[in-house]
Amino acid sequence: MNFNVTDLVPAAAEIWMLAMACVVLVADVFVKGQARTATFALTLVTLLGAALLTFLTADGEITYAFTGTFVGDLMGSLLKLMLYLTVIMVLFYSRGYIQARGPLGRGEFYVLVLFATLGMMIMISSNHFLTLYLGLEMLSLSLYALVALNRDSAVSTEAAMKYFVLGALASGVLLYGMSMIYGATGSLDITRVAEAIYLKSANTTVLVFGLVFLVSGLAFKLGVVPFHMWIPDVYQGAPTAVTLFIGSAPKLAAFAMTMRLLVNGLLPLAQDWQTMLIIMSVLSMAIGNLAAIAQTNIKRMLAYSTISHMGFMLLGVVAGVVGGDARYALNAYSSAMFYVVSYVLMSLGGFGMIILLSRAGFEAEKLEDFKGLNKRSPWFAGVMLMVMFSMAGIPFFVGFFAKFSVLQAVVAAGYYWLAIVAVAFSLIGAFYYLRVVKVMYFDEPADTAPLEAGGDIRVLLSVNGLAVALLGIFPQTLMSLCAFALLRSL
């Protein structure tokens, strides 16, 4: 690889993140006290610095660095800015939670979150299979450790073990798919792989086999059926602060990974991967929504909800190319991107409410823990109502417009039956979201103790809830931003 100093510019935010993660790791050794205020402040400075560098280096042009293994474009910059915002919100939501639980309050939480964020940044800007794999493994290893952070909990340890074993298996499948694609095309560079397929110089049989393994590995990371088994156990077993992180930020990186691999690299094989995505999408909406109805643990319910939402998001990716015609691409892919961003915002609100109701020695993980919340706090019951309505796709919240834009793209692509199936499963899914609302407003509270949460989480949760409502009333700005970023990147 030829080294060029100018290559450092597009990767400035990643270099900063790596350096500061090491600084935080060392500095935490000298920090005393459970509050870890200095570690928390340094972590925030790291994220804000990365946001500034990403903003300053985003010139709207597509820039390749490190011999084409790294790409800087507007889609990557926008997703990274969303990522920093999400991680900052996760840190504020989690701070009081981990402080109140001794073993979790160590600085490892912040360091692992930073390394996981770095992994996601690399995934977002990858233009090479190995770069992508490097970012993915950095994210995965950090998440395994985060899930197991509560070493005294048998449930957490079991969840981490399951996640590690299944994650390692999925990584092997993904790597095997990449090696087959290398065997078929002679390159691991995503741009050159696309060229080889366009020029029909690749071995088609090996290529299609490689595609099957690649999509399987991708499906595990997205958490869609039939590679969804890890999600409910990990969401339930991990400390809620970690579940909040796993359930939000990695979705942005998984979307970028889907776009880089399937759209940038393997678009000529769209008819092959579309069929697989349609099957996984329908199964995810069916199993995710039906299984969520039977759950009494709200973290497991939201886990199955995630599976159904990722299935819905895939519809936007499927609708991009119809019969080799890519005219629908921009509208379809931007609807999928808008869906992911909206889902991350809603997911933050949902898990943020669980953290708000939890206190040391008590985890508000059961549906019955939300009983009578309206009598304890009408405002936060209202916030949870907005989040649940939005996830159900009820007008006029951001979740409604996210679903509507994806359905519009699906109908425009001519997949009428797919749109009908998606609407049907969305209606079924509304049941368990509305059940949470019913429990909050019509049941008597089992616990009348006042909510024990800091001012920062109360303010942030209020802003989060209002954002879900306001982006539903004024969705056009965010939708246009997603469309513009993709227009300048594809």
Side-chain angles (χ1 to χ4, degrees):
M1 180 188 291
N2 297 321
F3 178 74
N4 194 333
V5 177
T6 55
D7 286 347
L8 299 178
V9 176
E14 281 79 3
I15 295 168
W16 163 264
M17 182 66 74
L18 175 62
M20 285 303 292
C22 295
V23 169
V24 173
L25 178 65
V26 174
D28 185 67
V29 175
F30 302 97
V31 174
K32 305 294 181 188
Q34 189 64 29
R36 302 274 168 185
T37 306
T39 310
F40 177 73
L42 266 177
T43 308
L44 287 184
V45 168
T46 304
L47 291 163
L48 292 173
L52 182 64
L53 287 169
T54 302
F55 182 76
L56 292 176
T57 53
D59 56 4
E61 301 298 324
I62 301 175
T63 311
Y64 294 98
F66 306 112
T67 328
T69 57
F70 190 93
V71 61
D73 56 18
L74 214 49
M75 181 189 82
S77 299
L78 182 60
L79 284 172
K80 284 180 196 172
L81 290 172
M82 299 285 184
L83 175 65
Y84 306 140
L85 180 63
T86 303
V87 178
I88 288 172
M89 290 176 72
V90 167
L91 292 176
F92 273 107
Y93 276 137
S94 307
R95 194 177 177 216
Y97 180 91
I98 63 172
Q99 276 178 15
R101 291 155 183 81
L104 296 180
R106 300 184 300 262
E108 288 96 321
F109 177 80
Y110 299 106
V111 175
L112 288 169
V113 165
L114 286 182
F115 277 113
T117 306
L118 176 61
M120 288 185 270
M121 292 165 70
I122 295 171
M123 285 170 68
I124 288 172
S125 284
S126 294
N127 192 47
H128 194 279
F129 284 91
L130 289 185
T131 320
L132 188 71
Y133 190 72
L134 186 72
L136 184 62
E137 285 307 293
M138 184 174 282
L139 168 66
S140 300
L141 291 173
S142 304
L143 293 185
Y144 302 148
L146 278 169
V147 173
L149 207 55
N150 189 3
R151 289 176 296 195
D152 298 330
S153 166
V155 180
S156 289
T157 311
E158 184 188 340
M161 186 68 81
K162 282 182 185 172
Y163 192 19
F164 175 72
V165 172
L166 292 174
L169 187 66
S171 290
V173 169
L174 187 69
L175 206 56
Y176 190 56
M178 288 177 178
S179 68
M180 292 185 86
I181 288 174
Y182 177 74
T185 61
S187 177
L188 284 172
D189 187 304
I190 290 176
T191 308
R192 290 183 184 170
V193 166
E195 285 173 2
I197 301 171
Y198 272 117
L199 296 173
K200 300 187 185 303
S201 60
N203 184 320
T204 311
T205 308
V206 179
L207 198 61
V208 171
F209 272 106
L211 178 67
V212 171
F213 284 102
L214 200 70
V215 171
S216 302
L218 199 61
F220 179 87
K221 299 304 173 189
L222 282 168
V224 292
V225 177
F227 303 97
H228 65 291
M229 295 78 75
W230 61 277
I231 289 193
D233 290 339
V234 170
Y235 273 43
Q236 184 182 2
T240 306
V242 176
T243 311
L244 170 68
F245 182 62
I246 295 175
S248 53
K251 308 302 177 198
L252 297 167
F255 170 77
M257 183 177 166
T258 307
M259 294 298 291
R260 299 288 185 209
L261 286 179
L262 298 184
V263 177
N264 287 2
L266 302 170
L267 194 62
L269 301 177
Q271 287 185 324
D272 295 303
W273 55 255
Q274 275 178 333
T275 310
M276 287 187 273
L277 293 192
I278 287 174
I279 295 169
M280 288 192 292
S281 172
V282 171
L283 288 176
S284 299
M285 288 187 289
I287 293 175
N289 283 316
L290 293 174
I293 292 172
Q295 305 305 316
T296 55
N297 182 301
I298 194 162
K299 283 166 76 176
R300 284 187 80 84
M301 189 197 89
L302 290 175
Y304 281 107
S305 154
T306 296
I307 295 166
S308 70
H309 279 290
M310 287 302 102
F312 209 104
M313 184 277 289
L314 282 183
L315 293 179
V317 181
V318 166
V321 179
V322 183
D325 188 345
R327 281 180 302 168
Y328 312 93
L330 182 62
N331 183 38
Y333 299 148
S334 62
S335 71
M337 188 170 171
F338 179 73
Y339 195 95
V340 168
V341 173
S342 304
Y343 173 73
V344 168
L345 188 65
M346 295 183 291
S347 182
L348 285 169
F351 285 110
M353 277 301 301
I354 298 175
I355 288 182
L356 178 77
L357 294 182
S358 300
R359 55 183 182 274
F362 172 73
E363 302 292 328
E365 294 182 355
K366 296 177 181 171
L367 270 178
E368 61 190 38
D369 296 327
F370 281 76
K371 277 184 176 178
L373 180 61
N374 182 48
K375 291 182 179 170
R376 296 175 66 191
S377 172
W379 170 246
F380 287 111
V383 170
M384 189 62 171
L385 178 140
M386 287 190 279
V387 172
M388 290 294 109
F389 274 17
S390 183
M391 282 194 173
I394 294 173
F396 288 91
F397 296 97
V398 69
F400 166 75
F401 284 100
K403 285 183 188 292
F404 183 69
S405 62
V406 169
L407 288 173
Q408 251 186 341
V410 172
V411 169
Y415 293 113
Y416 298 106
W417 69 271
L418 205 50
I420 293 169
V421 169
V423 171
F425 282 121
S426 292
L427 290 174
I428 292 171
F431 171 79
Y432 57 88
Y433 295 120
L434 295 179
R435 187 174 57 182
V436 177
V437 176
K438 175 255 175 193
V439 164
M440 289 192 303
Y441 281 88
F442 298 104
D443 287 3
E444 288 299 318
D447 181 6
T448 54
L451 301 179
E452 294 178 7
D456 51 354
I457 185 173
R458 289 171 181 267
V459 171
L460 190 58
L461 201 48
S462 303
V463 172
N464 198 159
L466 289 173
V468 167
L470 289 175
L471 281 172
I473 299 170
F474 307 105
Q476 200 55 46
T477 305
L478 183 57
M479 290 174 87
S480 303
L481 204 56
C482 292
F484 180 69
L486 285 168
L487 179 67
R488 299 297 298 267
S489 306
L490 294 179

